[in-house]
Amino acid sequence: MMSKGIAPNVITYTSLIHGVCKLGEWKEATMLLNEMVSKNIFPNVFTFSILVDALCKEGMVVEGEGVVEMMIQRDIEPDTVTYNSLMDGYCLRGEMGKAQKVFELMLSKGSVVNVVSYSTLINGYCKNKKIDKAVMLFLDMSCKGLVADTVTYNTLMDGFCKVGRIDDAQKLFSKMQACGQLPDVQTYSILLDGLCKNRQLSRAMQLFVEMEAKKLDINVVIYSILIEGLCIAGKIESARDLFCGLSSKGLRPDVRTYNIMINGLCIAGLTSEAEKFLIQMDEKGCSPDGWTFNTIIRGFIHNKQTSRAMVLIQTMVEKGFSADASTTELIVNLLSKDEVDPALLPLIKKSL
């Protein structure tokens, strides 16, 4: 454009800033912003909103606040997108008081408070387990004539599940459908996970059958949730059968699926089988992560198989992983009881 004498305008620069923000290149974004201003091309509300959104998503909320202040100084009124982005940034940091103030500021200024605004704040309260405040917002939203979308229902349902209010989650699931909002795979996975985590396996299985009947796209994530539910319920054989049957359904277990199965086996005391799954992961091209090694090492220690734990610690260190807080506590406990060969101390230090 420049070489052909075509002068870039605010849309050109805004598009470039959007692109570099997506890549996390903040210095480049700042340079572009300064460059456009130096050319008397002034950023508009869209330019600033893109910056605020990108900064807040990266946890750089203070910098996001700075951009909002810059907008106001230039007599550019932040819009709903700007405020929603800033509110989301506070929610991600758990600063719900500040997020609520932004929401109230929007109302006081007469800004358009939309479904996204409510969903953002509801999500923040749910993540911080302040479910009653989330419910109040949900009800307030309905009173103002705003129709909750699938994302809003999913968010509140997940909040109910996280605090163990499964009956409320199921009521919301029914209400959602009665209001004409069709649940998606994410909705079913949230409810299925909530039921499994709260030991409601029979209800979880009923929901899974319903998913099959509706011919929903049941992916490896859904099966992983169900496998974990079976493990939690102590039905390790059923979990293993479901895991081993994934390939017949055209699905490949990912590292999370393996970790769930390995954890279930270790809790059941089946450490040798868990180790076989570890070997199988490598063979199937699914690289184990730090969580995989830590889980089996803890399984060995809990089952008084200290020497096997030490061998796996060496493998873990060689793979570039280290012991997490739970594993470290168990290792320190072994050291305090002199249950570890002193010759292994250098290796243990590397793992911590």
Side-chain angles (χ1 to χ4, degrees):
M1 287 178 71
M2 300 291 283
S3 66
K4 288 178 185 282
I6 303 169
N9 59 15
V10 66
I11 297 170
T12 318
Y13 276 104
T14 300
S15 300
L16 283 171
I17 288 168
H18 189 204
V20 296
C21 281
K22 278 187 172 183
L23 297 171
E25 295 175 0
W26 309 115
K27 286 183 181 177
E28 187 72 25
T30 306
M31 282 170 60
L32 284 165
L33 185 66
N34 293 332
E35 184 184 309
M36 68 186 289
V37 171
S38 71
K39 291 181 178 180
N40 290 321
I41 301 168
F42 295 104
N44 58 22
V45 66
F46 301 109
T47 318
F48 282 117
S49 294
I50 284 166
L51 278 167
V52 173
D53 183 58
L55 287 165
C56 288
K57 278 187 168 62
E58 290 293 319
M60 300 164 71
V61 186
V62 175
E63 290 82 352
E65 289 171 342
V67 174
V68 174
E69 286 173 15
M70 194 191 301
M71 289 178 75
I72 295 165
Q73 286 168 7
R74 291 179 175 274
D75 291 324
I76 298 172
E77 185 64 32
D79 64 4
T80 303
V81 175
T82 321
Y83 284 124
N84 285 352
S85 298
L86 191 58
M87 192 160 53
D88 189 40
Y90 286 131
C91 288
L92 289 170
R93 288 162 64 99
E95 296 177 344
M96 294 311 300
K98 289 182 178 180
Q100 184 70 42
K101 280 183 182 177
V102 173
F103 185 77
E104 288 165 5
L105 180 64
M106 289 173 73
L107 293 171
S108 68
K109 282 180 170 284
S111 299
V112 177
V113 179
N114 56 20
V115 174
V116 176
S117 311
Y118 274 97
S119 293
T120 299
L121 202 53
I122 288 169
N123 184 48
Y125 280 123
C126 286
K127 288 280 189 291
N128 286 274
K129 298 189 176 178
K130 294 179 178 178
I131 194 71
D132 290 332
K133 287 197 172 183
V135 172
M136 284 174 65
L137 275 168
F138 184 82
L139 295 173
D140 183 55
M141 183 179 164
S142 300
C143 289
K144 286 190 165 57
L146 291 170
V147 179
D149 58 11
T150 304
V151 173
T152 317
Y153 278 108
N154 288 354
T155 300
L156 189 54
M157 206 178 299
D158 188 50
F160 279 134
C161 290
K162 290 285 193 296
V163 296
R165 288 169 59 174
I166 297 302
D167 288 341
D168 286 330
Q170 285 209 295
K171 283 176 187 173
L172 191 63
F173 181 71
S174 300
K175 181 182 176 179
M176 176 184 185
Q177 294 173 86
C179 291
Q181 283 291 342
L182 291 175
D184 56 14
V185 174
Q186 180 69 9
T187 317
Y188 277 98
S189 67
I190 287 166
L191 191 53
L192 190 70
D193 187 58
L195 290 166
C196 287
K197 293 267 174 65
N198 287 276
R199 298 177 179 273
Q200 302 275 343
L201 188 61
S202 59
R203 287 162 77 178
M205 293 305 296
Q206 286 173 5
L207 188 67
F208 183 74
V209 169
E210 185 182 321
M211 290 178 73
E212 288 186 312
K214 290 191 173 181
K215 300 191 184 301
L216 292 174
D217 179 24
I218 303 175
N219 55 25
V220 73
V221 174
I222 301 293
Y223 280 106
S224 296
I225 290 168
L226 206 52
I227 289 165
E228 187 173 26
L230 289 164
C231 289
I232 290 169
K235 298 182 180 294
I236 198 70
E237 293 293 331
S238 299
R240 188 198 288 111
D241 290 344
L242 190 58
F243 181 93
C244 294
L246 287 176
S247 58
S248 65
K249 300 177 191 299
L251 296 170
R252 288 182 63 185
D254 57 17
V255 66
R256 184 174 178 272
T257 320
Y258 271 107
N259 285 346
I260 287 167
M261 193 68 241
I262 285 168
N263 187 50
L265 290 165
C266 286
I267 289 169
L270 302 170
T271 51
S272 294
E273 193 169 343
E275 197 170 21
K276 285 178 184 174
F277 271 96
L278 174 64
I279 295 164
Q280 185 190 106
M281 285 179 79
D282 266 329
E283 290 173 350
K284 299 279 186 182
C286 180
S287 300
D289 58 14
W291 202 94
T292 321
F293 286 105
N294 276 282
T295 301
I296 304 178
I297 288 164
R298 286 196 296 271
F300 283 145
I301 294 172
H302 283 307
N303 286 279
K304 312 292 183 188
Q305 297 167 311
T306 309
S307 58
R308 291 177 73 184
M310 294 305 125
V311 170
L312 197 55
I313 284 173
Q314 184 171 355
T315 306
M316 179 176 74
V317 171
E318 288 169 356
K319 296 273 187 182
F321 300 111
S322 56
D324 60 21
S326 300
T327 308
T328 300
E329 187 180 344
L330 291 176
I331 293 170
V332 170
N333 189 44
L334 288 175
L335 290 168
S336 67
K337 293 178 182 177
D338 292 326
E339 292 182 20
V340 178
D341 184 345
L344 293 170
L345 284 175
L347 171 65
I348 291 169
K349 283 180 182 177
K350 283 184 182 178
S351 74
L352 300 178

